[in-house]
Amino acid sequence: MNIPLTSNPRVIIIGGGFAGLSLAKKLAKQELQVVLLDKHNYHTFQPLLYQVSTGGLEPDSIAYPIRKVLKDYTNFFFRLANVEEIVPKEKKVITDIGVLKYDYLVLATGSRTNFFGNASIKANSMVMKTIPQSLNLRSLILQNFEKALLKSDLNERNALMNFVIVGAGPTGVELAGALAEIKKGILPKDYPDLDIRQMQINLVQASDRVLPAMSEVSSKKAEHFLEKLGVNVWKDVRVLDYDGEMATTETDVYFNTATLIWTAGVKGATIKGVDDKKFLISGNRLKVNRFNQVEGFEDIFAVGDIALMTEEKFPKGHPMMAQPAIQQGKHLGDNLLRLMNNKKMRPFKYRDKGSMATIGRNKAVVDLPKFKFQGVFAWYVWMFVHLFFLIGFRNRVIVFVNWVYNYIRFDREARLIIRPYVKKVKNA
Ligand SMILES: Cc1cc2nc3c(=O)[nH]c(=O)nc-3n(C[C@H](O)[C@H](O)[C@H](O)COP(=O)(O)OP(=O)(O)OC[C@H]3O[C@@H](n4cnc5c(N)ncnc54)[C@H](O)[C@@H]3O)c2cc1C
């Protein structure tokens, strides 16, 4: 891997997401050798992936080169590598570019889509966890309309214009809202010879409300906003299967659709070697103590989505969101430095800053620990917070300018099929 030997302890961080990067910043310029490994050479700002999928933002504006974050840190090494296995007994990681020994290892690998064991849904649905996946979705949405134009068979045409989003958490809600806005403002102009009124956006939720992790008042308001935008909200409907053409549910509801987008769950992105059931807890997350140490190890830590830490206020672990990842990363940085200086580590305590979701122009819901609000002000707060946490000044400027432009012009100019998506109906 071409990493020099050093007398300083070596910390390997796997993952340059929210948790990994906030930890890395804390370890900068310390008497440590830090090696950051990621299978991408960029950090992805996942909260805005849905805007890439719907042509509102260019992918580059929500990605940031990891090497640029680390460029001034002399004690740092970045390697573009997929970590395949961890061997705790030998204190080493095995990657697709070689093997490296560690003194301390930090897993910040985030999460991956959870299909709850349904192979057919996994094989045939679209997901939105990475930029390439979002670009696939963007292409598919646009290709569907290009194809629909050519279909004389009404059922086939309608299936191409029927979108089913499974899971009404923030991702599903935001995507449904964005699709509804395209339906209203863009597609009728782009496809004047297609009856866009036939386009259906279905948001399907297994439980009895959208945004179940938010307050009831925000759920209700979000549902109201969605319905105002023309989204069909299906509650208490659990999707059972999807063969690439038809989605069946536990009820008598079914959907003939060419596009099913699965946003119904995530699970920890574990790695072989620490994926033994004894380390894992619900949602495939690694059980950690209040110092982020993985249960059973003193030298292996986990932060962010992959880590499950319980606190009195969070008996099921912290929410799989950016804030716990950022806070845990920073805190572990402090603790590792304490450890180096033979000081006692301090337990982590999550500062809940609330949650929010946007449904569309002037429509958002915000739950802060002390109060909740919805509507236009919430939308401004949502935009401000997202701009603030986006990495890189250039990205902030580009996203801001895009948002202003889209707002004034009712437009989304990145509706481009740059890399056509080849959809294969697969029998799982
Ligand atoms: C579509 C979407 C919308 C979201 N919206 C919001 C929101 O509005 N607000 C919010 O707070 N949260 C939101 N989240 C959740 C939030 O993005 C995550 O909680 C957060 O990214 C977790 O940070 P992390 O550092 O743990 O993992 P990540 O940010 O996912 O980073 C993990 C990194 O590890 C790398 N990696 C993984 N496995 C390996 C391996 N084996 N080898 C090498 N590298 C590896 C990945 O490439 C990645 O760079 C959203 C998530 C998604 C998918």
Side-chain angles (χ1 to χ4, degrees):
M1 281 207 196
N2 194 20
I3 309 275
L5 284 174
T6 156
S7 54
N8 288 336
R10 178 184 288 157
V11 181
I12 299 184
I13 306 172
I14 312 174
F18 287 103
L21 284 190
S22 56
L23 165 64
K25 286 177 190 164
K26 279 276 171 181
L27 300 183
K29 299 173 184 165
Q30 301 291 335
E31 303 221 326
L32 286 167
Q33 187 191 61
V34 186
V35 182
L36 180 58
L37 306 172
D38 200 301
K39 55 186 166 190
H40 301 120
N41 79 336
Y42 54 85
H43 165 85
T44 304
F45 191 77
Q46 293 174 357
L48 292 179
L49 280 174
Y50 83 97
Q51 296 211 5
V52 172
S53 301
T54 50
L57 289 175
E58 312 274 353
D60 308 29
S61 58
I62 66 158
Y64 197 79
I66 293 176
R67 284 188 180 278
K68 190 163 175 189
V69 179
L70 312 177
K71 73 178 185 339
D72 296 327
Y73 306 169
T74 45
N75 57 331
F76 266 72
F77 296 85
F78 172 73
R79 292 293 178 265
L80 183 64
N82 184 24
V83 179
E84 292 163 347
E85 189 175 347
I86 295 162
V87 188
K89 269 191 187 152
E90 296 171 39
K91 286 171 91 79
K92 69 179 187 189
V93 296
I94 301 173
T95 79
D96 57 348
I97 58 161
V99 175
L100 194 64
K101 288 231 173 203
Y102 59 80
D103 293 296
Y104 298 97
L105 175 68
V106 183
L107 278 99
T109 47
S111 58
R112 53 176 79 109
T113 306
N114 192 354
F115 297 94
F116 304 99
N118 190 316
S120 182
I121 293 180
K122 184 177 176 186
N124 295 303
S125 64
M126 302 299 287
V127 291
M128 207 178 57
K129 279 288 292 172
T130 64
I131 288 178
Q133 289 168 349
S134 292
L135 287 174
N136 284 344
L137 183 55
R138 181 177 88 179
S139 294
L140 182 67
I141 293 168
L142 298 167
Q143 285 167 219
N144 279 356
F145 287 99
E146 297 297 334
K147 274 193 195 159
L149 257 182
L150 311 175
K151 294 281 178 203
S152 47
D153 183 297
L154 202 61
N155 288 336
E156 285 183 45
R157 196 193 306 155
N158 285 346
L160 285 163
M161 295 203 287
N162 193 12
F163 293 85
V164 177
I165 301 164
V166 186
T171 305
V173 164
E174 293 182 344
L175 185 62
L179 279 175
E181 291 202 324
I182 303 183
K183 176 183 176 183
K184 196 171 154 212
I186 291 168
L187 295 172
K189 289 184 217 145
D190 276 7
Y191 300 93
D193 32 7
L194 203 58
D195 183 3
I196 295 296
R197 287 170 306 175
Q198 301 308 318
M199 174 182 177
Q200 298 294 320
I201 302 150
N202 300 288
L203 181 63
V204 190
Q205 170 69 357
S207 70
D208 61 355
R209 62 184 177 109
V210 305
L211 299 177
M214 291 188 76
S215 64
E216 220 154 298
V217 59
S218 288
S219 286
K220 280 206 176 113
K221 197 69 186 181
E223 188 177 337
H224 168 72
F225 285 148
L226 286 164
E227 282 172 349
K228 237 173 118 177
L229 283 168
V231 174
N232 310 318
V233 179
W234 303 86
K235 292 179 294 183
D236 289 316
V237 174
R238 186 180 296 276
V239 171
L240 283 186
D241 215 348
Y242 177 55
D243 62 4
E245 287 166 6
M246 187 194 281
T248 53
T249 71
E250 266 178 359
T251 65
D252 52 3
V253 176
Y254 65 93
F255 303 94
N256 280 320
T257 176
T259 319
L260 183 136
I261 305 151
W262 185 259
T263 67
V266 287
K267 59 180 180 183
T270 49
I271 297 180
K272 192 175 163 200
V274 289
D275 59 349
D276 195 303
K277 287 222 164 24
K278 67 179 182 245
F279 309 125
L280 297 176
I281 206 152
S282 74
N284 229 31
R285 297 168 85 187
L286 288 168
K287 191 168 191 316
V288 297
N289 63 16
R290 295 286 290 273
F291 310 113
N292 287 94
Q293 274 165 319
V294 176
E295 203 170 69
F297 300 103
E298 294 214 331
D299 52 357
I300 303 183
F301 299 79
V303 279
D305 276 3
I306 179 75
L308 194 139
M309 179 195 292
T310 54
E311 283 187 52
E312 218 171 276
K313 268 178 86 181
F314 299 92
K316 290 182 181 163
H318 303 121
M320 290 165 93
M321 285 175 27
Q323 266 306 316
I326 292 169
Q327 291 180 27
Q328 284 183 11
K330 280 186 189 160
H331 189 85
L332 178 60
D334 286 335
N335 268 342
L336 285 177
L337 297 178
R338 294 183 74 81
L339 205 62
M340 304 300 143
N341 294 309
N342 296 318
K343 289 187 185 159
K344 272 180 98 175
M345 291 193 287
R346 292 194 173 130
F348 175 80
K349 193 169 185 319
Y350 176 50
R351 274 165 289 117
D352 185 3
K353 295 188 176 171
S355 56
M356 56 186 71
T358 183
I359 297 92
R361 146 188 300 254
N362 298 333
K363 296 178 186 68
V365 292
V366 175
D367 282 0
L368 296 182
K370 293 221 163 81
F371 54 100
K372 303 164 193 358
F373 49 97
Q374 303 87 28
V376 183
F377 182 60
W379 191 62
Y380 283 115
V381 171
W382 180 92
M383 283 196 293
F384 175 78
V385 168
H386 282 71
L387 278 178
F388 183 80
F389 282 104
L390 202 58
I391 299 185
F393 178 71
R394 175 186 165 275
N395 283 357
R396 287 190 193 129
V397 172
I398 292 176
V399 169
F400 180 69
V401 170
N402 262 284
W403 283 351
V404 172
Y405 180 87
N406 295 349
Y407 189 77
I408 297 171
R409 303 282 313 244
F410 286 84
D411 208 352
R412 282 166 184 259
E413 284 199 351
R415 48 186 195 278
L416 311 163
I417 308 170
I418 302 268
R419 190 188 59 184
Y421 178 68
V422 184
K423 184 174 188 241
K424 292 187 197 111
V425 173
K426 297 164 208 148
N427 296 318

